[in-house]
Amino acid sequence: MAGFGLLTGCGSPHMSALDPKGPVGETQLDLINLSTGIMTLVVIVVAAIYIYVVIKYRERPGDDKDEIPEQVAGSKKLEILWTTVPIILLIILAVPTISTTFRGTDREPEPGTLRINATGYQYWFGFEYPDYQVSTANEVHIPTGRKVEFLLAAHDVVHSFWVPSLGGKQDMNPGRTERLILQADEPGLYEGECAELCGASHATMRFRVIAHPPAEFEKWIASRKQPKSKPKTEQQKQGHKLIAQNCIGCHAIQGAGYDILGRTGPELTGFSHRTRVAGALDNNRENLKKWLVNPQKIKPGNRMPGFDHLDDKQLDAMVEYLQTLK
Ligand code: HEC
Ligand SMILES: [Cu+2]
């Protein structure tokens, strides 16, 4: 993470819809509070009536067991009451629910909004910044205090885009683009995940939103445009060569000398900045090696084959090269 030092200062990642860090998340929390309030009120009123009736009309010692109580069929007053009250409550709930749900999904965004295309794959997320000609995977960087329009799609099956602290969820469908506008007010690391069961490794289909102050975000974009992908040491050179032989059918690494690139797997440009490997493990040499040897053990059913036929030295060389990608 060197060069993007803010992450060390911001504590643990945020992941709670109950602790929003942006305006969309806040509106969603208001809605959660409103509906919880209405539901609690209904539960209390119904329970109170229930308890009252059970106590008032209970059988008392000395009651005549054969006597049938007065039979009431139909009461206009009561029926009007218990029809209109729920209708009113539902209207109170429906109006803000519908307006909140469609806010940030149906309207054209205002000028100045940052556009990001986000695509769900089994089991990872690809991100493109069409205004900057930059792309990345699994960790999406955004500026704080600015609206971000995510244009969501899926490559294979239906996924769903959810960043609990910022907002969502919104389905990612194959062959269709959905819009979700989010904003982070504070710099930090926001956990996101796929919220639609999409296969064996759905539970580890996670991503991170990394929000920087605007100037740092521009720096990140600049670093993406000039990636450091040239190997220096002998070991890195060996790793670079092995990756050219084994990996670039599926992975892109910009600036590494082979820019005609696979798209089956996540782009690896700037990989050393990523905080995790495949959204599942902390990004360090040991975990990276584990991933290369047997990715199926970590994320069953994912589309990357294992490289356990390579020897330790070869694996280490690739890990070393991947850890230089800035
Ligand atoms: C057949 C295609 C394919 C090949 C070949 C392949 N990969 Fe992958 N790789 C993938 C896919 C797909 C993923 C995403 C897996 C997931 O998260 O579901 C992935 C994920 C990764 C990740 C994690 C990326 C991230 O954003 O955290 C790394 C690192 C990686 N591969 C390195 C390699 C290396 C190094 C090689 C060559 C030795 C290689 N891959 C060969 C398809 C491939
Ligand atoms: Cu999923």
Side-chain angles (χ1 to χ4, degrees):
M1 299 315 303
F4 301 100
L6 80 151
L7 291 181
T8 46
C10 67
S12 52
H14 303 285
M15 189 179 193
S16 172
L18 304 178
D19 182 19
K21 300 289 178 193
V24 180
E26 274 159 23
T27 322
Q28 290 187 336
L29 179 60
D30 291 344
L31 198 58
I32 293 173
N33 287 337
L34 176 71
S35 36
T36 313
I38 291 180
M39 287 184 270
T40 311
L41 185 77
V42 170
V43 169
I44 290 172
V45 170
V46 171
I49 295 175
Y50 174 79
I51 292 166
Y52 171 78
V53 170
V54 164
I55 293 175
K56 173 145 191 222
Y57 296 104
R58 74 188 187 281
E59 192 184 291
R60 294 182 173 81
D63 278 358
D64 178 358
K65 298 230 163 33
D66 295 329
E67 189 199 302
I68 295 173
E70 188 196 343
Q71 300 296 295
V72 184
S75 155
K76 222 179 222 162
K77 244 197 231 157
L78 278 177
E79 284 183 10
I80 289 174
L81 189 72
W82 67 52
T83 309
T84 47
V85 170
I87 290 176
I88 291 168
L89 290 180
L90 286 181
I91 291 171
I92 295 175
L93 201 56
V95 171
T97 302
I98 292 168
S99 76
T100 308
T101 306
F102 288 102
R103 184 182 312 162
T105 59
D106 63 339
R107 279 181 234 157
E108 278 298 319
E110 51 198 71
T113 303
L114 173 67
R115 260 192 313 164
I116 299 179
N117 300 330
T119 309
Y121 298 78
Q122 280 173 317
Y123 303 97
W124 58 280
F125 291 86
F127 298 102
E128 287 168 18
Y129 298 71
D131 305 336
Y132 296 94
Q133 308 288 316
V134 156
S135 54
T136 187
N138 289 329
E139 293 187 0
V140 59
H141 294 247
I142 63 168
T144 50
R146 182 168 161 198
K147 290 208 163 64
V148 182
E149 176 192 28
F150 286 98
L151 293 164
L152 308 175
H155 182 257
D156 32 48
V157 300
V158 179
H159 301 279
S160 173
F161 190 87
W162 189 31
V163 192
S165 306
L166 301 182
K169 317 156 177 172
Q170 179 71 50
D171 273 0
M172 308 173 97
N173 298 305
R176 214 190 121 97
T177 305
E178 307 288 346
R179 175 183 290 139
L180 180 66
I181 295 174
L182 299 180
Q183 179 177 326
D185 287 336
E186 296 169 23
L189 211 155
Y190 302 97
E191 297 282 3
E193 61 182 27
C194 174
E196 178 78 48
L197 182 61
C198 59
S201 282
H202 164 67
T204 39
M205 183 167 168
R206 296 185 292 176
F207 65 104
R208 280 180 163 166
V209 176
I210 299 170
H212 307 269
E216 283 212 40
F217 171 74
E218 294 299 329
K219 257 201 236 162
W220 180 80
I221 289 285
S223 80
R224 276 291 63 78
K225 286 185 165 261
Q226 302 209 302
K228 295 202 176 65
S229 308
K230 294 270 178 290
K232 292 196 189 75
T233 66
E234 273 314 307
Q235 194 190 22
Q236 291 165 9
K237 281 182 187 149
Q238 194 204 352
H240 176 261
K241 204 170 133 201
L242 283 163
I243 283 175
Q245 288 162 354
N246 291 291
C247 322
I248 57 159
C250 296
H251 289 288
I253 305 177
Q254 307 287 344
Y258 35 74
D259 291 357
I260 306 157
L261 307 146
R263 292 263 170 244
T264 314
E267 171 157 356
L268 297 178
T269 316
F271 178 76
S272 72
H273 290 311
R274 256 167 240 170
T275 61
R276 284 192 301 220
V277 179
L281 306 169
D282 285 339
N283 185 5
N284 56 45
R285 287 178 164 75
E286 197 185 323
N287 285 340
L288 193 48
K289 196 164 162 184
K290 263 194 217 156
W291 173 259
L292 297 182
V293 171
N294 192 355
Q296 295 301 321
K297 191 172 163 203
I298 294 154
K299 289 175 97 168
N302 88 75
R303 303 250 151 86
M304 174 159 158
F307 288 86
D308 51 359
H309 53 282
L310 299 181
D311 66 30
D312 244 20
K313 258 179 86 180
Q314 293 173 311
L315 291 166
D316 286 338
M318 289 197 294
V319 166
E320 213 47 51
Y321 175 62
L322 289 171
Q323 293 296 14
T324 65
L325 296 175
K326 294 226 159 68

